[in-house]
Amino acid sequence: MQSGMAEVVITPLYEVLKRRGVKFKFFHVAKQLHLDKDQQSIASITLARQVNLKNPEQEYQPLIKVKDIRCWPSEPLYNQIVDEEAQKLQDKEINLESYWTPWQNVEKITLTKGDDFDIVLLGIPIAALPSICGELLHAKKNPVHQKWQDMLTQVKTVTTQGGQIWLKPTLPQLGWQKSSHVLGAYIEPLDVYADMSELIVRENWPSEHYPYSVAYFTGVIADPGIPPHTEYDFPAKAQKIVEQQAIYFLNNYIGHLWANPIHSKNPQGLNWDLLVDFQNRQGVERFKAQYWRININPSERYVLSVPGSTKYRLKTDKSGFDNLYLTGDWINNGYNSGCVEATVMSAMQATRAILHQCFHIKYTKKIIGEWDSWL
């Protein structure tokens, strides 16, 4: 991994698909899948468009370049959005990717079978499906509706957090004398720590604020559930909680990892002055210059592989609806674990099924990691 996951994995996939003619419609939200009267196939899909682009005849260009890497920014590229809307988004600090956004969409769109699509490939993560697949879950004319209910009940998900802090000292200066590492099973809720200092060269840093080490932390958090989408303040409250937990962790447990006396008067806590901060804040306020996020959106929740849950996962071509195929790390893909490998495997399985069932073309490429029992 020579850069961030999005840049190493997602950017190449995105760019290859674009070259193959795939059209991307950014700033659209899936609202509902609708069945035909016999409840045997997807008849229409309701979407909502969030913003107007300055040039609606062209696709939104999502990537920015940092040094020689094409990257995904953490916010929309506002210069491509109509000025009035872009200004409102920034003034109100709107997160368009949030399930709890108060933003009013600009257009409702309905796609219909035969006119706009023939086949539907559903790759939206499983925790987001209850809000858009209500008709599928209650399609009593179709016996598979119970399998859908079982899958959404038995295949569990969990909320997670991730953080990065940039430090002035090198890793040895912090007190870690061995090689760079990934460490697990530490202190909850931040039980995974990785030194990712090799990625500093991929980032733009001025010489007066140059970091010599960067630490990544991840972990599971207590599940706050998925409250109604009208609880607009929920993300901010959840973010505040994980930031407080992170500060508590750095104040009380980091000394076991970074044991050099230079780091703090408190042997168990962090010397906050060692954090890189462009604004040169003091003490714990320097935490505001770091990056910490909570993954609470339904589409962000991590898919678990709890005992006994595999039998409830549906396979790509077993949705029970004749034009609907499934893909993602949440389906029965043979690997059945939350990771990008399982996601890609499931996409290859969907390709195989669609080519065979819809076009009578045999897919011969071996899917590495797939269980023989899947076939």
Side-chain angles (χ1 to χ4, degrees), residues 12 28 60 101 106 125 130 139 179 236 271 277 282 304 320 327 337 346 363:
H28 285 70
Y60 175 77
T101 179
V106 299
S179 59
N271 178 356
D277 180 7
Q282 300 299 309
L304 299 173
T327 188
S337 180
S346 71
Y363 182 87

Side-chain angles (χ1 to χ4, degrees), residues 142-161:
N142 191 324
V144 82
H145 83 278
Q146 186 60 51
K147 292 184 178 180
W148 274 80
Q149 292 184 11
D150 291 342
M151 177 174 66
L152 296 186
T153 302
Q154 301 299 326
V155 179
K156 307 294 186 180
T157 64
V158 69
T159 48
T160 60
Q161 64 177 316

Side-chain angles (χ1 to χ4, degrees), residues 147 150-151 154-155 306-315 332 336 371:
K147 292 184 178 180
D150 291 342
M151 177 174 66
Q154 301 299 326
V155 179
V306 299
S309 64
T310 291
K311 63 184 178 183
Y312 296 104
R313 291 174 176 242
L314 295 175
K315 297 178 182 178
N332 187 352
N336 297 351
W371 289 346

